[in-house]
Coordinates of all heavy atoms in Angstrom, one line a residue:
M1 N 91.3 129.8 -11.4 CA 92.4 130.7 -11.7 C 91.8 131.9 -12.4 O 91.1 131.8 -13.4 CB 93.4 130.0 -12.6 CG 94.5 131.0 -13.1 SD 95.6 130.2 -14.2 CE 96.9 129.8 -13.0
A2 N 92.1 133.1 -11.9 CA 91.6 134.3 -12.4 C 92.3 134.7 -13.7 O 93.5 134.5 -13.8 CB 91.7 135.5 -11.4
E3 N 91.6 135.2 -14.7 CA 92.2 135.6 -16.0 C 92.9 136.9 -15.8 O 92.4 137.9 -15.3 CB 91.2 135.7 -17.0 CG 91.7 136.0 -18.4 CD 90.6 136.1 -19.4 OE1 89.6 135.4 -19.4 OE2 90.7 137.0 -20.3
K4 N 94.2 137.0 -16.2 CA 95.0 138.2 -16.1 C 94.6 139.1 -17.2 O 94.7 138.7 -18.4 CB 96.5 137.9 -16.1 CG 97.3 139.1 -16.2 CD 98.4 139.1 -15.1 CE 99.4 140.2 -15.2 NZ 98.9 141.6 -15.2
K5 N 94.2 140.3 -17.0 CA 93.9 141.3 -18.0 C 95.2 141.9 -18.5 O 96.1 142.2 -17.8 CB 92.9 142.4 -17.5 CG 91.6 141.9 -17.0 CD 90.7 141.6 -18.2 CE 89.3 141.2 -17.7 NZ 88.5 141.0 -18.8
K6 N 95.2 142.1 -19.8 CA 96.4 142.8 -20.4 C 96.3 144.3 -20.1 O 95.2 144.9 -20.2 CB 96.4 142.6 -21.9 CG 97.6 143.1 -22.6 CD 97.6 142.8 -24.1 CE 98.8 143.4 -24.7 NZ 98.6 144.1 -25.9
D7 N 97.4 144.8 -19.7 CA 97.4 146.3 -19.4 C 97.2 147.0 -20.7 O 97.9 146.8 -21.7 CB 98.8 146.6 -18.9 CG 99.0 148.1 -18.5 OD1 97.9 148.8 -18.5 OD2 100.1 148.5 -18.2
P8 N 96.2 147.9 -20.8 CA 95.9 148.6 -22.0 C 96.9 149.7 -22.4 O 96.9 150.2 -23.5 CB 94.5 149.3 -21.7 CG 94.4 149.4 -20.2 CD 95.2 148.2 -19.7
G9 N 97.8 149.9 -21.5 CA 98.9 150.9 -21.8 C 98.6 152.3 -21.2 O 97.5 152.6 -20.7
P10 N 99.6 153.1 -21.2 CA 99.5 154.4 -20.6 C 98.6 155.4 -21.3 O 98.2 156.4 -20.7 CB 101.0 154.9 -20.6 CG 101.6 154.2 -21.8 CD 100.9 152.9 -21.8
S11 N 98.2 155.1 -22.5 CA 97.3 156.1 -23.2 C 95.9 156.0 -22.7 O 95.1 156.9 -22.9 CB 97.4 155.9 -24.7 OG 96.9 154.6 -25.0
V12 N 95.5 154.9 -22.0 CA 94.2 154.7 -21.5 C 94.2 155.2 -20.0 O 94.9 154.7 -19.2 CB 93.8 153.2 -21.5 CG1 92.4 153.0 -20.8 CG2 93.7 152.7 -22.9
K13 N 93.4 156.3 -19.8 CA 93.4 157.0 -18.5 C 92.5 156.3 -17.5 O 92.6 156.6 -16.3 CB 93.0 158.4 -18.7 CG 93.8 159.2 -19.8 CD 95.2 159.1 -19.5 CE 96.0 159.9 -20.6 NZ 97.4 159.4 -20.7
D14 N 91.5 155.5 -17.9 CA 90.6 154.8 -16.9 C 90.5 153.3 -17.3 O 89.6 152.9 -18.0 CB 89.2 155.5 -16.9 CG 88.3 155.0 -15.8 OD1 88.6 153.9 -15.3 OD2 87.4 155.8 -15.4
P15 N 91.5 152.5 -16.9 CA 91.6 151.1 -17.3 C 90.3 150.3 -16.9 O 90.0 149.4 -17.6 CB 92.8 150.6 -16.6 CG 93.6 151.8 -16.2 CD 92.6 152.9 -16.0
E16 N 89.7 150.7 -15.8 CA 88.5 149.9 -15.3 C 87.4 150.1 -16.3 O 86.7 149.1 -16.7 CB 88.1 150.5 -13.9 CG 86.9 149.7 -13.3 CD 86.5 150.2 -12.0 OE1 87.4 150.8 -11.2 OE2 85.3 150.1 -11.6
V17 N 87.1 151.3 -16.8 CA 86.1 151.5 -17.8 C 86.5 150.8 -19.1 O 85.7 150.2 -19.7 CB 85.8 153.0 -18.0 CG1 85.0 153.3 -19.2 CG2 85.2 153.7 -16.8
Y18 N 87.7 151.0 -19.5 CA 88.2 150.3 -20.7 C 88.0 148.8 -20.7 O 87.4 148.3 -21.7 CB 89.8 150.6 -20.8 CG 90.4 149.9 -22.0 CD1 90.4 150.5 -23.3 CD2 91.0 148.7 -21.9 CE1 90.9 149.9 -24.4 CE2 91.6 148.1 -23.0 CZ 91.5 148.7 -24.2 OH 92.1 148.0 -25.3
E19 N 88.3 148.2 -19.6 CA 88.2 146.7 -19.6 C 86.7 146.3 -19.6 O 86.3 145.3 -20.2 CB 88.9 146.1 -18.3 CG 90.4 146.1 -18.4 CD 90.9 145.3 -19.6 OE1 90.3 144.3 -20.1 OE2 92.0 145.7 -20.2
A20 N 85.9 147.1 -18.9 CA 84.4 146.8 -18.9 C 83.8 146.9 -20.3 O 83.0 146.1 -20.7 CB 83.7 147.7 -17.9
L21 N 84.2 147.9 -21.0 CA 83.8 148.1 -22.4 C 84.3 147.0 -23.3 O 83.5 146.5 -24.2 CB 84.2 149.5 -22.9 CG 83.4 150.7 -22.3 CD1 84.2 152.0 -22.6 CD2 82.0 150.7 -22.7
R22 N 85.5 146.6 -23.2 CA 86.1 145.5 -24.0 C 85.3 144.2 -23.7 O 85.0 143.5 -24.6 CB 87.6 145.4 -23.7 CG 88.4 146.5 -24.3 CD 88.5 146.5 -25.8 NE 89.2 145.4 -26.3 CZ 89.0 144.8 -27.4 NH1 88.0 145.2 -28.2 NH2 89.7 143.7 -27.8
D23 N 85.0 144.0 -22.4 CA 84.3 142.8 -22.0 C 82.9 142.8 -22.7 O 82.4 141.7 -22.9 CB 84.2 142.7 -20.5 CG 85.5 142.3 -19.8 OD1 86.4 141.9 -20.5 OD2 85.6 142.5 -18.6
E24 N 82.3 143.9 -22.9 CA 81.0 144.1 -23.5 C 81.1 144.0 -25.1 O 80.1 144.1 -25.7 CB 80.3 145.4 -23.1 CG 80.0 145.4 -21.7 CD 79.4 146.8 -21.2 OE1 79.3 147.7 -22.1 OE2 79.2 147.0 -20.0
G25 N 82.3 143.9 -25.6 CA 82.5 143.8 -27.0 C 82.9 145.0 -27.8 O 82.9 145.0 -29.0
A26 N 83.1 146.1 -27.1 CA 83.6 147.4 -27.7 C 84.9 147.2 -28.3 O 85.8 146.4 -27.8 CB 83.6 148.5 -26.7
S27 N 85.2 147.9 -29.5 CA 86.5 147.8 -30.1 C 87.5 148.5 -29.2 O 87.2 149.3 -28.3 CB 86.5 148.6 -31.4 OG 86.3 149.9 -31.3
K28 N 88.8 148.2 -29.4 CA 89.8 148.9 -28.6 C 89.8 150.4 -28.7 O 89.9 151.1 -27.7 CB 91.2 148.3 -29.0 CG 91.5 146.9 -28.7 CD 92.8 146.4 -29.2 CE 93.0 145.0 -28.9 NZ 94.3 144.5 -29.4
E29 N 89.6 150.8 -29.9 CA 89.5 152.3 -30.2 C 88.4 152.9 -29.4 O 88.5 154.0 -28.8 CB 89.4 152.5 -31.7 CG 89.3 154.0 -32.1 CD 89.0 154.2 -33.5 OE1 89.0 153.2 -34.3 OE2 88.8 155.3 -33.9
K30 N 87.2 152.3 -29.5 CA 86.0 152.9 -28.9 C 86.2 152.9 -27.3 O 85.9 153.8 -26.6 CB 84.7 152.1 -29.3 CG 83.5 152.7 -28.6 CD 82.3 151.9 -29.1 CE 81.0 152.5 -28.5 NZ 79.8 151.7 -29.0
A31 N 86.6 151.7 -26.8 CA 86.8 151.6 -25.4 C 87.8 152.6 -24.8 O 87.6 153.2 -23.8 CB 87.3 150.2 -25.0
A32 N 88.9 152.8 -25.6 CA 89.9 153.8 -25.1 C 89.3 155.2 -25.2 O 89.6 156.0 -24.3 CB 91.2 153.7 -26.0
R33 N 88.6 155.5 -26.2 CA 88.0 156.9 -26.4 C 87.0 157.2 -25.2 O 87.1 158.2 -24.6 CB 87.3 157.0 -27.7 CG 86.8 158.3 -28.1 CD 86.3 158.4 -29.5 NE 85.2 157.5 -29.8 CZ 85.3 156.4 -30.6 NH1 86.4 156.2 -31.3 NH2 84.3 155.6 -30.8
I34 N 86.2 156.2 -24.9 CA 85.2 156.4 -23.8 C 85.9 156.5 -22.5 O 85.6 157.3 -21.6 CB 84.1 155.3 -23.9 CG1 83.3 155.5 -25.1 CG2 83.2 155.4 -22.6 CD1 82.3 154.4 -25.4
A35 N 86.9 155.6 -22.3 CA 87.6 155.5 -21.0 C 88.4 156.9 -20.8 O 88.4 157.4 -19.6 CB 88.6 154.4 -21.0
N36 N 89.0 157.4 -21.8 CA 89.7 158.6 -21.6 C 88.8 159.8 -21.4 O 89.1 160.7 -20.6 CB 90.6 158.9 -22.8 CG 91.8 157.9 -22.9 OD1 92.1 157.3 -21.9 ND2 92.4 157.8 -24.0
A37 N 87.6 159.8 -22.1 CA 86.6 160.9 -21.9 C 86.1 160.8 -20.4 O 85.9 161.8 -19.8 CB 85.5 160.8 -22.9
S38 N 85.8 159.6 -19.9 CA 85.3 159.5 -18.6 C 86.3 159.9 -17.5 O 86.0 160.5 -16.5 CB 84.8 158.0 -18.3 OG 85.9 157.2 -18.1
A39 N 87.6 159.7 -17.8 CA 88.7 160.1 -16.9 C 88.8 161.7 -16.9 O 89.0 162.3 -15.8 CB 90.0 159.5 -17.3
A40 N 88.6 162.3 -18.0 CA 88.7 163.7 -18.2 C 87.5 164.5 -17.6 O 87.6 165.5 -17.0 CB 89.0 164.1 -19.6
E41 N 86.3 163.9 -18.0 CA 85.1 164.7 -17.7 C 84.3 164.1 -16.5 O 83.3 164.7 -16.0 CB 84.2 164.7 -18.9 CG 84.8 165.3 -20.1 CD 84.0 165.0 -21.4 OE1 82.7 165.0 -21.3 OE2 84.6 164.8 -22.4
G42 N 84.6 162.9 -16.1 CA 83.8 162.2 -15.1 C 82.9 161.2 -15.8 O 82.3 161.4 -16.8
R43 N 82.7 160.0 -15.1 CA 81.9 159.0 -15.7 C 80.4 159.4 -15.9 O 79.8 159.1 -16.9 CB 81.9 157.7 -14.8 CG 83.3 157.1 -14.8 CD 83.3 155.9 -14.0 NE 84.6 155.3 -13.9 CZ 85.0 154.2 -13.2 NH1 84.1 153.6 -12.5 NH2 86.2 153.7 -13.3
T44 N 79.9 160.1 -15.0 CA 78.5 160.6 -15.1 C 78.2 161.4 -16.3 O 77.3 161.3 -17.0 CB 78.0 161.3 -13.8 OG1 78.3 160.4 -12.7 CG2 76.6 161.7 -13.8
A45 N 79.1 162.4 -16.5 CA 79.0 163.3 -17.6 C 79.0 162.6 -18.9 O 78.2 162.8 -19.9 CB 80.1 164.4 -17.6
V46 N 79.9 161.6 -19.1 CA 80.0 160.9 -20.3 C 78.8 160.0 -20.5 O 78.3 159.9 -21.6 CB 81.3 160.0 -20.3 CG1 81.4 159.1 -21.5 CG2 82.5 161.0 -20.3
G47 N 78.3 159.4 -19.4 CA 77.2 158.5 -19.5 C 75.9 159.2 -19.9 O 75.1 158.7 -20.6
E48 N 75.8 160.4 -19.4 CA 74.6 161.2 -19.7 C 74.6 161.7 -21.1 O 73.5 161.9 -21.7 CB 74.5 162.4 -18.7 CG 74.1 162.1 -17.3 CD 74.1 163.2 -16.4 OE1 74.6 164.3 -16.7 OE2 73.7 163.0 -15.2
R49 N 75.8 162.0 -21.7 CA 75.9 162.5 -23.0 C 75.4 161.5 -24.0 O 74.6 161.8 -24.9 CB 77.3 162.9 -23.3 CG 77.5 163.5 -24.7 CD 78.9 164.1 -24.9 NE 79.9 163.1 -24.8 CZ 81.0 163.2 -24.1 NH1 81.3 164.2 -23.4 NH2 81.9 162.2 -24.1
G50 N 75.8 160.2 -23.9 CA 75.3 159.2 -24.8 C 75.7 159.4 -26.2 O 76.4 160.3 -26.6
G51 N 75.1 158.6 -27.1 CA 75.4 158.7 -28.5 C 74.2 158.9 -29.3 O 73.1 158.8 -28.9
E52 N 74.4 159.4 -30.5 CA 73.3 159.7 -31.4 C 73.4 158.8 -32.7 O 72.7 159.1 -33.6 CB 73.4 161.2 -31.8 CG 73.4 162.1 -30.7 CD 72.0 162.7 -30.4 OE1 71.2 162.7 -31.4 OE2 71.7 163.1 -29.3
A53 N 74.2 157.8 -32.7 CA 74.4 156.9 -33.8 C 73.1 156.1 -34.1 O 72.5 155.7 -33.2 CB 75.6 156.0 -33.7
S54 N 72.8 155.9 -35.4 CA 71.6 155.1 -35.7 C 72.0 153.6 -35.6 O 73.2 153.3 -35.7 CB 71.1 155.5 -37.1 OG 72.1 155.2 -38.1
D55 N 71.0 152.8 -35.5 CA 71.3 151.3 -35.4 C 71.8 150.9 -36.8 O 71.4 151.4 -37.8 CB 70.0 150.6 -35.1 CG 69.6 150.7 -33.7 OD1 70.5 151.0 -32.8 OD2 68.4 150.6 -33.4
Y56 N 72.7 150.0 -36.8 CA 73.3 149.5 -38.0 C 72.1 148.9 -38.9 O 72.2 149.0 -40.1 CB 74.4 148.4 -37.8 CG 75.7 149.0 -37.3 CD1 76.4 148.4 -36.3 CD2 76.2 150.1 -37.9 CE1 77.6 149.0 -35.9 CE2 77.4 150.7 -37.5 CZ 78.1 150.1 -36.5 OH 79.3 150.6 -36.1
E57 N 71.2 148.2 -38.3 CA 70.1 147.6 -39.1 C 69.3 148.6 -39.8 O 68.6 148.3 -40.8 CB 69.1 146.8 -38.1 CG 69.7 145.5 -37.6 CD 70.6 145.7 -36.4 OE1 70.7 146.8 -35.8 OE2 71.3 144.7 -36.1
D58 N 69.3 149.9 -39.4 CA 68.5 150.9 -40.0 C 69.3 151.6 -41.2 O 68.7 152.4 -41.9 CB 68.1 152.1 -39.0 CG 67.2 151.6 -38.0 OD1 66.5 150.5 -38.2 OD2 67.2 152.2 -36.9
R59 N 70.5 151.2 -41.4 CA 71.3 151.8 -42.4 C 71.3 150.9 -43.7 O 71.0 149.7 -43.6 CB 72.8 151.9 -42.0 CG 73.0 152.8 -40.8 CD 74.4 153.0 -40.4 NE 74.6 153.7 -39.2 CZ 75.7 154.0 -38.7 NH1 76.9 153.7 -39.3 NH2 75.8 154.7 -37.5
T60 N 71.6 151.5 -44.8 CA 71.6 150.8 -46.1 C 73.0 150.0 -46.2 O 73.9 150.4 -45.5 CB 71.5 151.7 -47.3 OG1 72.7 152.6 -47.3 CG2 70.2 152.6 -47.2
V61 N 73.0 149.1 -47.1 CA 74.3 148.3 -47.3 C 75.4 149.3 -47.7 O 76.5 149.2 -47.3 CB 74.1 147.2 -48.4 CG1 75.4 146.6 -48.7 CG2 73.1 146.2 -47.8
E62 N 75.0 150.3 -48.6 CA 76.0 151.3 -49.0 C 76.5 152.1 -47.8 O 77.7 152.3 -47.7 CB 75.3 152.2 -50.0 CG 76.3 153.2 -50.6 CD 75.6 154.2 -51.7 OE1 74.6 153.7 -52.3 OE2 76.1 155.3 -51.8
E63 N 75.7 152.5 -46.9 CA 76.1 153.2 -45.7 C 77.0 152.3 -44.9 O 78.0 152.8 -44.3 CB 74.9 153.7 -44.9 CG 74.1 154.8 -45.6 CD 72.8 155.1 -44.9 OE1 72.2 154.2 -44.3 OE2 72.4 156.3 -45.0
L64 N 76.6 151.1 -44.7 CA 77.4 150.1 -43.9 C 78.8 149.9 -44.5 O 79.8 149.9 -43.8 CB 76.7 148.8 -43.8 CG 75.4 148.9 -42.9 CD1 74.7 147.5 -43.0 CD2 75.7 149.2 -41.5
R65 N 78.8 149.8 -45.9 CA 80.1 149.6 -46.6 C 81.0 150.8 -46.4 O 82.2 150.7 -46.3 CB 79.9 149.3 -48.0 CG 79.5 147.9 -48.2 CD 79.7 147.3 -49.6 NE 79.3 146.0 -49.7 CZ 78.3 145.5 -50.4 NH1 77.7 146.3 -51.3 NH2 78.0 144.2 -50.4
H66 N 80.4 152.0 -46.5 CA 81.1 153.3 -46.3 C 81.8 153.3 -44.9 O 82.9 153.6 -44.7 CB 80.2 154.5 -46.5 CG 80.9 155.8 -46.3 ND1 81.8 156.3 -47.2 CD2 80.9 156.7 -45.3 CE1 82.3 157.4 -46.8 NE2 81.7 157.7 -45.6
R67 N 81.0 152.9 -43.9 CA 81.5 152.9 -42.5 C 82.6 151.9 -42.4 O 83.6 152.1 -41.7 CB 80.4 152.7 -41.5 CG 80.8 152.6 -40.1 CD 81.4 153.9 -39.6 NE 81.8 153.8 -38.2 CZ 82.9 154.4 -37.7 NH1 83.6 155.2 -38.5 NH2 83.2 154.2 -36.5
A68 N 82.4 150.7 -43.0 CA 83.4 149.6 -42.9 C 84.7 150.1 -43.6 O 85.8 149.7 -43.2 CB 82.9 148.4 -43.6
A69 N 84.6 150.9 -44.7 CA 85.8 151.4 -45.3 C 86.5 152.4 -44.4 O 87.7 152.4 -44.4 CB 85.4 152.1 -46.6
E70 N 85.8 153.2 -43.7 CA 86.4 154.1 -42.7 C 87.2 153.4 -41.7 O 88.2 153.8 -41.2 CB 85.3 155.0 -42.0 CG 84.6 156.0 -42.9 CD 83.5 156.7 -42.2 OE1 83.0 156.2 -41.1 OE2 83.1 157.7 -42.7
L71 N 86.7 152.2 -41.3 CA 87.4 151.4 -40.3 C 88.4 150.3 -40.9 O 89.0 149.5 -40.2 CB 86.4 150.6 -39.5 CG 85.4 151.5 -38.7 CD1 84.3 150.7 -38.0 CD2 86.2 152.4 -37.7
D72 N 88.5 150.4 -42.3 CA 89.4 149.5 -43.0 C 89.1 148.0 -42.7 O 90.0 147.2 -42.5 CB 90.8 149.8 -42.7 CG 91.8 149.3 -43.8 OD1 91.4 149.2 -44.9 OD2 92.9 149.0 -43.4
I73 N 87.8 147.6 -42.8 CA 87.4 146.3 -42.6 C 87.6 145.5 -43.9 O 87.0 145.9 -44.9 CB 86.0 146.2 -42.1 CG1 85.9 146.8 -40.7 CG2 85.5 144.7 -42.1 CD1 84.5 146.9 -40.1
E74 N 88.4 144.5 -43.9 CA 88.7 143.7 -45.1 C 87.5 142.9 -45.6 O 86.8 142.3 -44.7 CB 89.9 142.9 -44.9 CG 91.1 143.7 -44.6 CD 92.4 143.1 -45.1 OE1 92.4 142.1 -45.8 OE2 93.5 143.6 -44.7
G75 N 87.3 142.8 -46.9 CA 86.3 141.9 -47.4 C 84.9 142.6 -47.5 O 83.9 141.9 -47.8
R76 N 84.8 143.8 -47.1 CA 83.5 144.5 -47.0 C 82.7 144.6 -48.3 O 81.5 144.5 -48.3 CB 83.7 145.9 -46.5 CG 84.5 146.8 -47.4 CD 84.9 148.1 -46.7 NE 85.9 148.9 -47.6 CZ 87.2 148.8 -47.5 NH1 87.7 148.0 -46.6 NH2 87.9 149.5 -48.3
S77 N 83.4 144.6 -49.4 CA 82.7 144.8 -50.7 C 81.9 143.5 -51.1 O 80.9 143.6 -51.8 CB 83.7 145.1 -51.9 OG 84.6 144.0 -52.0
S78 N 82.2 142.4 -50.5 CA 81.4 141.2 -50.8 C 80.6 140.7 -49.7 O 79.9 139.7 -49.8 CB 82.4 140.0 -51.2 OG 83.3 139.7 -50.2
M79 N 80.5 141.5 -48.6 CA 79.7 141.1 -47.4 C 78.2 141.4 -47.6 O 77.9 142.4 -48.3 CB 80.2 141.8 -46.2 CG 81.5 141.4 -45.7 SD 81.9 142.2 -44.1 CE 83.5 141.6 -43.8
T80 N 77.4 140.6 -47.0 CA 76.0 140.9 -47.0 C 75.7 141.9 -45.9 O 76.6 142.2 -45.1 CB 75.1 139.6 -46.6 OG1 75.5 139.2 -45.3 CG2 75.4 138.5 -47.6
K81 N 74.5 142.4 -45.8 CA 74.2 143.4 -44.8 C 74.4 142.8 -43.4 O 75.0 143.4 -42.5 CB 72.7 143.8 -44.9 CG 72.4 144.9 -43.9 CD 71.0 145.5 -44.2 CE 70.7 146.6 -43.2 NZ 69.5 147.3 -43.5
D82 N 74.0 141.6 -43.1 CA 74.2 140.9 -41.8 C 75.6 140.8 -41.5 O 76.1 141.0 -40.4 CB 73.5 139.6 -41.8 CG 71.9 139.7 -41.7 OD1 71.4 140.8 -41.3 OD2 71.2 138.7 -42.0
E83 N 76.4 140.4 -42.5 CA 77.9 140.2 -42.3 C 78.5 141.6 -42.0 O 79.4 141.7 -41.1 CB 78.5 139.6 -43.5 CG 78.1 138.2 -43.7 CD 78.6 137.6 -45.0 OE1 78.7 138.3 -46.0 OE2 78.8 136.4 -45.1
L84 N 78.1 142.6 -42.7 CA 78.6 144.0 -42.4 C 78.3 144.4 -41.0 O 79.2 145.0 -40.3 CB 78.1 145.0 -43.4 CG 78.7 144.9 -44.8 CD1 77.8 145.7 -45.8 CD2 80.1 145.5 -44.8
V85 N 77.1 144.2 -40.6 CA 76.7 144.6 -39.2 C 77.5 143.9 -38.2 O 78.0 144.5 -37.3 CB 75.2 144.3 -39.0 CG1 74.8 144.5 -37.5 CG2 74.3 145.3 -39.9
D86 N 77.7 142.6 -38.4 CA 78.5 141.8 -37.5 C 79.9 142.3 -37.5 O 80.5 142.4 -36.4 CB 78.4 140.3 -37.9 CG 79.1 139.4 -36.9 OD1 78.7 139.5 -35.7 OD2 80.1 138.7 -37.2
A87 N 80.5 142.5 -38.6 CA 81.9 143.0 -38.7 C 82.1 144.4 -38.0 O 83.1 144.6 -37.3 CB 82.3 143.1 -40.2
L88 N 81.1 145.3 -38.2 CA 81.2 146.6 -37.6 C 81.1 146.5 -36.1 O 81.7 147.2 -35.4 CB 80.1 147.5 -38.2 CG 80.4 147.9 -39.6 CD1 79.1 148.5 -40.3 CD2 81.5 148.9 -39.7
R89 N 80.2 145.6 -35.6 CA 80.0 145.5 -34.2 C 81.2 144.9 -33.5 O 81.4 145.1 -32.3 CB 78.7 144.7 -33.9 CG 77.5 145.4 -34.2 CD 76.3 144.9 -33.4 NE 75.2 145.7 -33.6 CZ 74.0 145.4 -34.1 NH1 73.8 144.2 -34.4 NH2 73.0 146.3 -34.1
H90 N 81.9 144.1 -34.2 CA 83.0 143.3 -33.6 C 84.4 143.8 -34.0 O 85.4 143.2 -33.9 CB 82.9 141.8 -33.8 CG 81.7 141.3 -33.2 ND1 80.5 141.1 -33.9 CD2 81.4 141.0 -31.9 CE1 79.6 140.6 -33.1 NE2 80.1 140.6 -31.9
H91 N 84.4 145.0 -34.6 CA 85.7 145.6 -35.0 C 86.5 146.0 -33.8 O 86.1 146.5 -32.9 CB 85.4 146.8 -35.9 CG 86.6 147.7 -36.1 ND1 87.7 147.3 -36.9 CD2 87.0 148.9 -35.7 CE1 88.6 148.2 -36.9 NE2 88.2 149.2 -36.1

């Protein structure tokens, strides 16, 4: 039996890209942002642009906690670096 995907809603302009990103573990916010950019600019343009973010492992615990605060991740103040990285990746 095939799994039925939940409709991401009308705000997502490229549901195929959105679902692929969610399947890879991207957050709903990130998947929607990339899917909408690919619908507006074309998938190739968005793919070539890429990102400039540093790896979480290269950041300090303070930097990770700051990013976790921006995303309102609960329990961040008592998390270890590995826990912060995991929480940020699976937000």
Side-chain angles (χ1 to χ4, degrees):
M1 172 185 263
E3 184 180 321
K4 172 128 173 57
K5 296 282 184 181
K6 185 178 179 220
D7 182 9
S11 63
V12 174
K13 306 304 179 205
D14 192 335
E16 184 179 330
V17 169
Y18 175 85
E19 288 302 330
L21 289 165
R22 289 292 290 148
D23 289 345
E24 292 174 5
S27 69
K28 291 177 183 180
E29 178 185 356
K30 181 177 181 179
R33 187 172 56 248
I34 293 170
N36 290 343
S38 72
E41 302 170 36
R43 291 179 183 179
T44 303
V46 172
E48 287 173 351
R49 185 171 62 226
E52 302 261 336
S54 63
D55 289 334
Y56 285 136
E57 286 82 10
D58 295 337
R59 298 183 188 184
T60 66
V61 172
E62 184 178 335
E63 290 169 328
L64 294 171
R65 284 199 177 120
H66 179 74
R67 180 64 181 142
E70 291 174 344
L71 298 173
D72 200 29
I73 294 174
E74 297 209 13
R76 63 189 172 269
S77 63
S78 62
M79 289 183 183
T80 65
K81 183 172 183 173
D82 288 339
E83 290 170 330
L84 284 163
V85 169
D86 187 59
L88 288 165
R89 286 201 171 125
H90 297 100
H91 166 72

